[in-house]
Amino acid sequence: MRSFSYERAQTPEQAAATVAGKPGAKFLAGGTNLLDLMKLEIESPTHLVDVQDLDLDRIEETDDGGVRIGALVSNTALAAHRKIRTDYGVLTRAIVAGASGQLRNKATTAGNLLQRTRCPYFYDSNMACNKRKPGSGCAAIAGFSRQLGVIGTSDSCIATYPGDMAVALRVLDATIETVTPDGAKRSIAIADFHRLPGSSPERDNVLEHGELITHVTLPKPIEGRHFYYKIRDRASYAFALVSAAGIIAPNGATRVAFGGVAPKPWRVEAAEEAISKDRKAATAQIFSGARPTEENAFKISLADRALAAVIAEARS
Amino acid sequence: MADNVKTGPSRRTVIAAGAVSAAATSIPAYAKPAQLPGKPPMRVPVSLEVNGQAKKLELDTRTTLLDALREHLKLTGTKKGCDHGQCGACTVLVNGERINSCLSLAVQHQGDKVTTIEGLGTPDKLHAMQSAFIKHDGYQCGYCTPGQICSAVAVLDEIRAGIPSHVQLDVSEPPPLSNMEFRERMSGNICRCGAYSNIAAAMADVAGGGA
């Protein structure tokens, strides 16, 4: 690990301004992903601004019946919150389907959104990776790609966004609130938060350097059966091959986002009306334009079967 | 405990001495340390309460909580397995919650209360979970055991606190103290010897008030 200096921020505005003023600076919250990457020198910040003392660790109900989640709320605390587990079951289910108990105790809401891909070529610094080292190429495209993305990818990068929580947030139409380095506040719809790689896969999301997530806001609860169906190579503590987060309303209206298939939680609202009538046609529309490799083409039919499974369960 | 005086060289001190003598003979006299990129190491004071005792350290910012415990406080009960949060051997309790001490910087834990396997119980006065692991043969080589025991103690607290899990049919309900729950919640602790069934039995014993 490269050496770095360390400080604790007292306000979100101060944290943002400090990181923005230093090119090599980064925020540190739980650290569960950042420390892992720093040990491998995939990340090598020269200065860490620890945000743990900021007053961002509460979950509050909003005036319009929704919920405002502080950026520092731990994954465990969010999953266990009374209103989240009763009214936003898809979110609790997604969180407890990810990582381990130890990691969920330390990992934060904002940090979970910002976690980086687990593409094995991103993690192996002997391999070419445009996300880790822009312009070096992508060893994954002709490599072992079973775990990697099938849609939204590019000729530069086929890595997936690895998390579970954000897939549920996508289906819940969450909004991400930030403070920018000049102290202004910004709201970003979850749909617009994670980027597609295009020719600049080193940028995972739309945040600028020094922009700090302060809250994640959920609109009022959506009635229906909430599910998070995760398919992986072992039954616990593994990243998704395919996951499906969704809500099936009493009248059959379905909304669904898929994880493990793309550089961001993958949801196509325009296809959702068709799900209750012709599921196969709807999933074909959701995955239209997919560019799978020979090794991961199975993910598209697996996604359709995951959706079929939850629809069957909702009817039972 | 950390302050125990040992008589004679331990395996660890013998290895350390060997490394020093090997280094002394292999580095030419003219070699100077290469100028590495990045900043010179920054050292910071860190105060922790470890197993009920106040500890003051001065550490390189890069020092993980795990290395602070093992290398600086000589509490070697907590183990380093993968050092990447994948195996759980480094699990300790911080302010009552289990975390991977390898994925946390010591400097993040100013003022925190840390409990390691040495703080849970002693050979003369074992914690109920330690006794249960012995009774149910919940280990073989023992390397993952301190992490398993710290994790198991925390899992029972988490279930009693109503923290939901992936194997619950209804996450709005309180979770049960069941074998399925123990197995799911212990998935962040890997055991290469495969003692999982006996670990779950030990946990059931403690959960049921026995052991």
Side-chain angles (χ1 to χ4, degrees):
Chain A
M1 197 189 301
R2 299 291 172 89
S3 60
F4 56 86
S5 46
Y6 170 93
E7 70 178 286
R8 289 199 183 191
Q10 300 308 314
T11 67
E13 292 75 14
Q14 183 212 341
T18 304
V19 169
K22 298 186 182 185
K26 275 197 165 288
F27 300 114
L28 172 68
T32 54
N33 188 211
L34 182 59
L35 265 274
D36 181 24
L37 295 168
M38 284 167 64
K39 289 179 182 190
L40 297 165
E41 296 191 3
I42 294 167
E43 299 273 13
S44 46
T46 55
H47 185 69
L48 286 182
V49 176
D50 188 336
V51 296
Q52 68 170 295
D53 296 331
L54 305 186
D55 186 23
L56 299 173
D57 59 353
R58 287 191 305 277
I59 301 172
E60 298 162 320
E61 300 194 19
T62 59
D63 293 340
D64 63 355
V67 173
R68 191 164 186 244
I69 304 155
L72 294 174
V73 172
S74 75
N75 291 176
T76 298
L78 181 54
H81 188 266
R82 178 193 50 78
K83 188 169 174 68
I84 301 297
R85 60 200 290 186
T86 49
D87 294 346
Y88 301 91
V90 60
L91 182 54
T92 287
R93 287 212 162 277
I95 292 169
V96 297
S100 66
Q102 290 96 314
L103 289 168
R104 293 191 296 267
N105 281 344
K106 199 83 182 76
T108 63
T109 302
N112 193 323
L113 281 170
L114 296 173
Q115 66 176 310
R116 308 212 65 192
T117 187
R118 292 330 193 269
C119 173
Y121 299 91
F122 175 74
Y123 261 80
D124 183 345
S125 48
N126 294 309
M127 292 287 177
C129 172
N130 289 319
K131 190 182 273 297
R132 175 169 33 77
K133 192 178 175 196
S136 62
C138 173
I141 289 173
F144 178 70
S145 58
R146 179 172 173 270
Q147 191 81 24
L148 304 178
V150 297
I151 193 161
T153 55
S154 75
D155 292 338
S156 295
C157 183
I158 60 169
T160 57
Y161 171 77
D164 296 294
M165 184 193 80
V167 186
L169 293 179
R170 179 71 178 88
V171 118
L172 291 167
D173 292 326
T175 301
I176 292 145
E177 296 175 32
T178 70
V179 57
T180 62
D182 56 11
K185 293 186 187 332
R186 174 156 91 126
S187 293
I188 307 164
I190 180 81
D192 302 325
F193 182 77
H194 293 104
R195 287 181 74 251
L196 296 184
S199 58
S200 52
E202 71 278 10
R203 289 189 59 206
D204 295 346
N205 55 60
V206 299
L207 296 182
E208 58 182 295
H209 180 69
E211 188 170 4
L212 178 74
I213 298 174
T214 58
H215 299 87
V216 173
T217 306
L218 305 179
K220 66 178 197 286
I222 299 159
E223 197 191 351
R225 290 277 289 266
H226 287 224
F227 59 81
Y228 190 76
Y229 194 82
K230 181 172 178 179
I231 300 162
R232 43 186 160 173
D233 282 334
R234 61 182 178 202
S236 184
Y237 197 21
F239 289 96
L241 281 168
V242 167
S243 69
I247 301 169
I248 302 183
N251 66 1
T254 301
R255 49 169 74 198
V256 65
F258 292 97
V261 294
K264 61 194 291 185
W266 196 255
R267 180 178 176 199
V268 178
E269 281 92 333
E272 289 177 353
E273 202 185 325
I275 292 174
S276 60
K277 302 176 192 80
D278 185 349
R279 186 203 76 243
K280 279 195 169 186
T283 22
Q285 189 181 343
I286 291 167
F287 285 93
S288 90
R291 302 197 314 166
T293 66
E294 211 170 298
E295 287 185 4
N296 67 22
F298 73 93
K299 285 192 175 190
I300 297 170
S301 47
L302 194 57
D304 180 57
R305 289 171 197 168
L307 182 56
V310 293
I311 291 170
E313 195 182 309
R315 283 180 185 150
S316 65
Chain B
M1 295 300 293
D3 302 320
N4 281 359
V5 177
K6 284 185 180 159
T7 51
S10 69
R11 184 172 61 90
R12 187 163 287 104
T13 54
V14 168
I15 293 168
V20 168
S21 60
T25 54
S26 62
I27 296 182
Y30 54 81
K32 284 183 181 168
Q35 187 61 47
L36 294 171
K39 294 184 174 186
M42 176 185 176
R43 297 182 74 81
V44 286
V46 176
S47 298
L48 303 168
E49 186 185 314
V50 181
N51 299 331
Q53 293 187 326
K55 299 285 180 187
K56 287 191 187 304
L57 298 167
E58 191 177 299
L59 300 171
D60 186 315
T61 50
R62 290 171 288 186
T63 312
T64 60
L65 178 59
L66 173 61
D67 286 343
L69 293 170
R70 284 182 57 85
E71 309 297 334
H72 296 268
L73 297 173
K74 307 300 177 192
L75 291 170
T76 52
T78 307
K79 296 294 184 267
K80 183 181 280 193
C82 68
D83 210 22
H84 286 278
Q86 296 173 5
C87 76
C90 68
T91 303
V92 298
L93 307 178
V94 174
N95 303 329
E97 292 185 348
R98 57 178 172 150
I99 66 164
N100 300 108
S101 62
C102 76
L103 285 187
S104 217
L105 296 169
V107 68
Q108 289 175 268
H109 293 284
Q110 293 285 7
D112 282 354
K113 291 183 167 65
V114 181
T115 304
T116 68
I117 190 71
E118 292 94 339
L120 278 182
T122 62
D124 299 331
K125 196 182 175 195
L126 294 174
H127 185 280
M129 192 63 79
Q130 290 171 315
S131 299
F133 267 60
I134 295 168
K135 177 181 166 189
H136 291 276
D137 204 11
Y139 51 86
Q140 201 177 114
C141 81
Y143 195 81
C144 72
T145 310
Q148 298 278 4
I149 291 176
C150 286
S151 207
V153 168
V155 162
L156 297 190
D157 289 343
E158 288 169 13
I159 294 174
R160 291 191 183 111
I163 291 167
S165 92
H166 175 64
V167 293
Q168 280 184 266
L169 290 176
D170 182 351
V171 290
S172 68
E173 292 289 317
L177 284 159
S178 69
N179 180 273
M180 277 296 284
E181 289 287 343
F182 300 156
R183 286 170 178 269
E184 161 60 23
R185 290 168 191 265
M186 291 294 287
S187 68
N189 291 83
I190 309 296
C191 171
R192 281 182 69 172
C193 304
Y196 300 111
S197 300
N198 295 355
I199 290 170
M203 293 175 71
D205 206 339
V206 177

